[in-house]
Amino acid sequence: MAGALDELLERVRALPDEERKKVSDDAKRATADQIWVPNVGPQSEAYFSLADETFYGGQAGGGKTDLAIGLSITEHRRALILRRINKDAVKLVERLAEIIGHRNGYNGQLQRWKLGYRLVEFGGCEQEDDKQRYKGDPHDLIVFDEGSDFLESQFRFIIGWNRSAVPGQRCRVLVTSNPPTTSAGLWVIKYWAAWLDPLHPNPALPGELRWYTTIGGVDTEVDGPGPHMIEGEREPIMARSRTYIPAALADNPDLARTNYASVLASLPDELRRAYRDGDFSVGQKDGDWQVIPTGWIEAAQQRWIDTPPRGLGMTAMAVDVAPGGGDQRVISARYGGWFARLIAEKVVDKNGRGTALEVVKHRRDRCPVIVDMGGGWGGNALIALGENGINVIAFNGVEATAGRTIDGKMGFRNKRAEAVWRFREALDPDQEGGSAVCLPPDAELKADLASYVWQNTTGGILLEDKEHQKKRLGRSPDKGDAVVMCLAEGDRAVERELRRGRNGGRGPQVNLGHSKLKQGRLR
């Protein structure tokens, strides 16, 4: 159906203006008795899309909220429409009343609207744990209006109840949103990376279906809906489809003929490019106390190539151990300033042997391996690696440090603050010769690195508490932590090895790989 619609719309667009207007007028007369009809163009494409999970949006004013309401009152029996702030969700009730012309069947106390056999519910999800309110409550349509305002953990939890017991009832998830303007919303670019991430190796076209399932705790694209035989699963798994359909103000005739375009044009630059232009690459505005500027992270990812520089051995490897509960075990390795693709997997490795095996498999050149001991989860991995004869170093972020910023003006409250700040210094494009750091194209890594927030205290630079950071980000910044350790603590470990080699030991088979990195290493 979607393909036939696309072909029809292309034919209509190719008509002369007068004939196209006649077709539009005829269509309006033919649908005059229908409660709601999508606009011709992207809104119709999203309405008829066969995707299980559709991201619809881009520019402001593209008819995102109307699409959500229209689907709920024409195609679905039990719909849940969410805004991050509960009061904002209630505002949508007024728009629904405008569309249908009455408020009959609405229960303001329950925020539910009964329309014959259809039920439309409105809700918010202000706190991370508010997602529990929707546990076990099935809906065949779940809408996240302004989806980039939500946490990824909230989205993934709530869509677990996108189902229906009614035979033949279509079930789907709709996310409507402009580009994210904070690091917490960058998860939408990762989730729909094939459409939104310019560094994705296999880009998808707007409206194209891609299929995904979870393998080893990680979203993985597969070939078609399945069934797929996944290692560790007892039964074949069916994949879910995703798509992205961009919308523009010009596609919404109700707003396009107003002065809304001039309102968008008057916004500050970063918001104008996000809301007016629908630009997913530049929408984020850095916070005042964000440690690592987003632009520096993006520049490091743009410098990245598929293979490490010639002649360099593996400099260091770092492991962020997964304690369970949805966190990932992440292994980061680098050759000088070039970071390899991260090895991330949701695993529970209580005795540390699985982690040791993964390190042995990927480690090269007898490089030092840093293990995060935060929370005490890395102890068994540290022991298992040591038993395998690996030069392993424990990293405990709460330990005190005598280090200072590269300009010598400020100290640090602990090693975690120092390590993250060293990463900032290494990415600084204004240092002599520019930055030598090359990061793999990974939207989750970008979001992690952009999520560190600091404050200047009497005892030195202090980072936001890890638990607060997790709540704001919606998950643990495992990938960011791994690359930060790999650079900062990795340099410290190599420095020790170099000194040992000069004192008569064998010395390491690695090097720091770039003079610019040597200038910024820990002292």
Side-chain angles (χ1 to χ4, degrees), residues 42-43 45-57 67 71 141-144 155 162 170-177 191-192 195 207-209 240-246:
Q43 197 177 67
E45 293 175 40
Y47 184 90
F48 290 107
S49 173
L50 300 179
D52 297 313
E53 300 168 2
T54 298
F55 189 109
Y56 177 73
L67 173 63
L71 281 170
L141 171 66
I142 301 178
V143 180
F144 296 83
F155 171 79
N162 180 219
R170 164 82 184 276
C171 295
R172 66 174 132 187
V173 173
L174 174 66
V175 174
T176 68
S177 186
Y191 199 85
W192 281 274
W195 297 268
E208 178 184 349
L209 297 190
R240 285 176 64 84
S241 57
R242 303 176 191 173
T243 196
Y244 165 68
I245 297 173

Side-chain angles (χ1 to χ4, degrees), residues 22-35:
K22 183 178 182 303
V23 170
S24 176
D25 292 341
D26 290 343
K28 289 178 180 178
R29 283 192 293 271
T31 58
D33 60 339
Q34 296 185 26
I35 189 171

Side-chain angles (χ1 to χ4, degrees), residues 437-483:
V437 176
C438 303
L439 296 173
D442 186 316
E444 192 172 84
L445 172 61
K446 174 184 170 182
D448 286 0
L449 292 174
S451 71
Y452 295 109
V453 175
W454 71 289
Q455 59 179 301
N456 189 14
T457 71
T458 55
I461 293 171
L462 177 66
L463 297 189
E464 175 188 31
D465 178 82
K466 183 72 169 284
E467 290 305 311
H468 286 99
Q469 182 185 14
K470 289 170 67 173
K471 287 183 178 180
R472 188 165 45 79
L473 190 60
R475 53 179 167 75
S476 177
D478 303 315
K479 292 184 176 180
D481 289 348
V483 299

Side-chain angles (χ1 to χ4, degrees), residues 342-363:
L342 298 170
I343 304 166
E345 188 175 8
K346 290 183 179 179
V347 296
V348 177
D349 181 25
K350 293 184 178 180
N351 59 25
R353 294 172 185 169
T355 298
L357 286 173
E358 281 298 301
V359 168
V360 170
K361 185 193 306 184
H362 298 284
R363 179 177 177 250

Side-chain angles (χ1 to χ4, degrees), residues 158-388:
I158 294 172
I159 66 172
W161 285 273
N162 180 219
R163 64 178 189 242
S164 174
V166 178
Q169 175 58 55
R170 164 82 184 276
C171 295
R172 66 174 132 187
V173 173
L174 174 66
V175 174
T176 68
S177 186
N178 306 118
T181 55
T182 67
S183 60
L186 291 176
W187 70 269
V188 299
I189 298 179
K190 180 197 69 172
Y191 199 85
W192 281 274
W195 297 268
L196 303 180
D197 187 346
L199 299 176
H200 193 275
N202 184 24
L205 296 173
E208 178 184 349
L209 297 190
R210 292 285 180 90
W211 302 86
Y212 297 84
T213 189
T214 302
I215 300 177
V218 178
D219 280 1
T220 304
E221 184 175 342
V222 293
D223 185 17
H228 299 279
M229 293 302 302
I230 307 298
E231 184 179 353
E233 298 289 346
R234 295 180 180 179
E235 302 291 337
I237 299 298
M238 298 299 295
R240 285 176 64 84
S241 57
R242 303 176 191 173
T243 196
Y244 165 68
I245 297 173
L249 174 61
D251 300 318
N252 184 2
D254 296 327
L255 277 178
R257 54 176 170 259
T258 70
N259 69 339
Y260 190 51
S262 62
V263 173
L264 296 178
S266 66
L267 292 172
D269 180 63
E270 70 279 353
L271 296 181
R272 183 169 65 251
R273 298 177 73 181
Y275 295 143
R276 185 194 67 179
D277 303 336
D279 190 340
F280 281 86
S281 66
V282 297
Q284 182 185 347
K285 176 177 171 59
D286 288 350
D288 292 337
W289 296 95
Q290 182 172 317
V291 178
I292 307 173
T294 305
W296 295 5
I297 303 167
E298 292 172 342
Q301 290 185 320
Q302 291 166 2
R303 288 191 291 268
W304 195 83
I305 56 176
D306 287 333
T307 55
R310 289 185 179 181
L312 285 183
M314 184 177 286
T315 305
M317 178 179 279
V319 183
D320 188 78
V321 180
D327 291 349
Q328 298 180 93
R329 177 185 65 201
V330 180
I331 299 177
S332 173
R334 68 179 177 93
Y335 296 69
W338 183 92
F339 283 77
R341 290 187 184 275
L342 298 170
I343 304 166
E345 188 175 8
K346 290 183 179 179
V347 296
V348 177
D349 181 25
K350 293 184 178 180
N351 59 25
R353 294 172 185 169
T355 298
L357 286 173
E358 281 298 301
V359 168
V360 170
K361 185 193 306 184
H362 298 284
R363 179 177 177 250
R364 301 289 182 271
D365 306 304
R366 302 206 310 273
C367 72
V369 177
I370 299 92
V371 176
D372 184 13
M373 300 297 291
W377 299 107
N380 287 335
L382 192 78
I383 294 171
L385 288 165
E387 290 174 345
N388 281 273

Side-chain angles (χ1 to χ4, degrees), residues 404-418:
R404 301 191 68 80
T405 55
I406 199 167
D407 59 10
K409 293 182 179 179
M410 293 186 289
F412 305 97
R413 286 280 292 272
N414 53 40
K415 290 181 66 176
R416 177 170 175 260
E418 180 180 22

